[in-house]
Amino acid sequence: MDTNAMDNAMDGGRRLLVAPVGCLLAATPGLLIGRVQPILPLLAIGPLMAATFLGTRRTLLVCCWTVLLALAAGLDSGAQLNAGFAVRWGGLLLGCACSVYAARQRGRLRERLAEARGVARIAQEAILRPVSRTLSGTHVSTRYHCANRESSVGGDLYDLAVTPYGLRVLVGDARGHGLDALRTAADTLIGFRELAYAAPDLTTLAKALDARLAPGLGPEDFVTAVLAEFGPGEVRLVNCGHPAPLRSGQRLELLEPRFPALPLGLCPDPRQYRVRLQPGDRLLLYTDGLTESRALDGTPFALLTECATALSEPTPDGALHALYDRLVAHAGGPPTDDLALVLCQPTEVTAPVRV
């Protein structure tokens, strides 16, 4: 049995013991003093606790045990003919019935919540598809981490498309957190998937994305993005306010744009620039969850130093795995911000498809 299963089993055992112990403690005064009628309302604590922690069947068992305990205590004190005792005992029966109903409703809600989470997980996986394959002569590997425990997708995004102009890759980061950022990220991905195959160059693609997103964004909303297009022996880039890609090969360097542009949604005027790729070079596209990570003492993540070691791994998947492990070790736990990593490595020199 693994650690999680053992923890779950122990938690279940503790929860199973909570309700009977509560009933025993509540009934103790009446049981110890045989002539004193127990305080029946306190016995309702057990069923209420059972309805909170246990399932319907176990709650029903606790209720039956509680009712029998109350009846036995009343008979022992000679109050079986007391009208007040009968009223209080009837109230306890009603409380037990409500506890069973509450446990049943809670079980149904948990089942519906599990179904909703399953549907959301499938939808989120459709939005951000994990990739580890060779496309148009370039091997692409991805790694994604969402800081929100209730979701698997946040405001960071990535996507790729094999177009007549070559393999195109998008990595971006929608401003903010929560559902608003997720909605903006989804709109960005939908726009990219519709426009990537028709735009003749990355500059046109970035402007078309901006025109598509701007009407639906708030006055302070935007999306930082970097677009990459792989050609024979080179990569063409457009950067709209996003962290600069990192090229790993004979030397490690950040590919900063000569003319910075505003993020999408703020009417950017991007310019495309080209970078040569030698055999064996790798191109890392990432979001600010990597650069803004901090250790417990506030030390920033050493991007170039850590990437120099991690990206030397033999396989792209191994390189991303090593980089993520180094980030977790530096931060002392999972990243507190969303993180998207896309590592591209040309495997062969291919000519783009003729348009």
Side-chain angles (χ1 to χ4, degrees), residues 65-105:
W65 183 79
T66 303
V67 170
L68 293 176
L69 179 63
L71 183 60
L75 291 174
D76 183 67
S77 63
Q80 66 274 21
L81 299 179
N82 189 320
F85 172 79
V87 172
R88 286 188 289 271
W89 191 71
L92 180 62
L93 284 177
L94 179 61
C96 290
C98 293
S99 298
V100 174
Y101 177 78
R104 184 180 180 183
Q105 291 299 107

Side-chain angles (χ1 to χ4, degrees), residues 310-337:
L311 297 184
S312 63
E313 292 289 328
T315 63
D317 290 339
L320 286 186
H321 184 73
L323 181 58
Y324 183 79
D325 287 347
R326 287 180 170 273
L327 181 66
V328 171
H330 174 79
T336 57
D337 193 7

Side-chain angles (χ1 to χ4, degrees), residues 246-248 280-284 311 313-316 319 343-345:
L246 189 147
R247 180 177 62 181
S248 171
D281 285 355
R282 291 174 174 175
L283 185 69
L284 177 66
L311 297 184
E313 292 289 328
T315 63
L343 185 60
C344 304
Q345 179 177 348

Side-chain angles (χ1 to χ4, degrees), residues 50-307:
T52 303
F53 296 103
L54 305 179
T56 304
R57 294 183 179 180
R58 292 179 177 178
T59 301
L60 180 60
L61 291 176
V62 172
C63 289
C64 293
W65 183 79
T66 303
V67 170
L68 293 176
L69 179 63
L71 183 60
L75 291 174
D76 183 67
S77 63
Q80 66 274 21
L81 299 179
N82 189 320
F85 172 79
V87 172
R88 286 188 289 271
W89 191 71
L92 180 62
L93 284 177
L94 179 61
C96 290
C98 293
S99 298
V100 174
Y101 177 78
R104 184 180 180 183
Q105 291 299 107
R106 186 176 65 87
R108 290 181 177 179
L109 290 176
R110 291 186 65 179
E111 292 177 357
R112 294 178 182 176
L113 180 60
E115 293 178 357
R117 286 179 174 175
V119 173
R121 184 176 60 256
I122 295 174
Q124 290 166 355
E125 290 177 353
I127 294 176
L128 289 181
R129 300 163 290 185
V131 179
S132 178
R133 57 184 301 187
T134 299
L135 299 169
S136 187
T138 301
H139 185 88
V140 181
S141 297
T142 63
R143 183 71 183 260
Y144 193 89
H145 169 79
C146 181
N148 186 359
R149 295 182 178 180
E150 299 297 328
S151 176
S152 59
V153 176
D156 291 6
L157 59 103
Y158 67 83
D159 203 1
L160 50 92
V162 180
T163 71
Y165 309 98
L167 174 66
R168 288 178 172 176
V169 180
L170 165 69
V171 174
D173 183 3
R175 180 185 179 276
H177 300 279
L179 292 178
D180 292 337
L182 178 58
R183 187 180 300 109
T184 302
D187 291 341
T188 305
L189 290 173
I190 293 173
F192 175 78
R193 293 170 185 177
E194 292 181 359
L195 301 171
Y197 299 91
D201 54 68
L202 295 183
T203 302
T204 304
L205 176 57
K207 292 181 178 180
L209 273 175
D210 174 75
R212 182 187 180 95
L213 293 174
L217 296 179
E220 297 182 357
D221 294 335
F222 57 83
V223 180
T224 66
V226 60
L227 294 163
E229 180 182 277
F230 291 87
E234 69 173 9
V235 60
R236 296 174 283 273
L237 298 169
V238 163
N239 194 325
C240 296
H242 197 77
L246 189 147
R247 180 177 62 181
S248 171
Q250 296 180 354
R251 61 175 182 172
L252 196 70
E253 61 177 332
L254 293 173
L255 306 179
E256 298 280 359
R258 181 176 299 180
F259 303 98
L262 295 175
L264 300 177
L266 301 179
C267 299
D269 184 21
R271 300 189 184 185
Q272 178 176 286
Y273 59 104
R274 302 188 177 199
V275 178
R276 294 178 58 86
L277 291 179
Q278 302 294 332
D281 285 355
R282 291 174 174 175
L283 185 69
L284 177 66
L285 308 175
Y286 54 92
T287 56
D288 59 5
L290 184 65
T291 56
E292 296 183 359
S293 177
R294 294 290 187 272
L296 297 179
D297 59 356
T299 305
F301 184 71
L303 178 64
L304 295 180
T305 303
E306 299 290 351
C307 286

Side-chain angles (χ1 to χ4, degrees), residues 26 37-48 66 70 84 88-89 91-92 95:
Q37 184 174 321
I39 305 175
L40 293 183
L42 290 180
L43 290 176
I45 296 176
L48 290 175
T66 303
R88 286 188 289 271
W89 191 71
L92 180 62

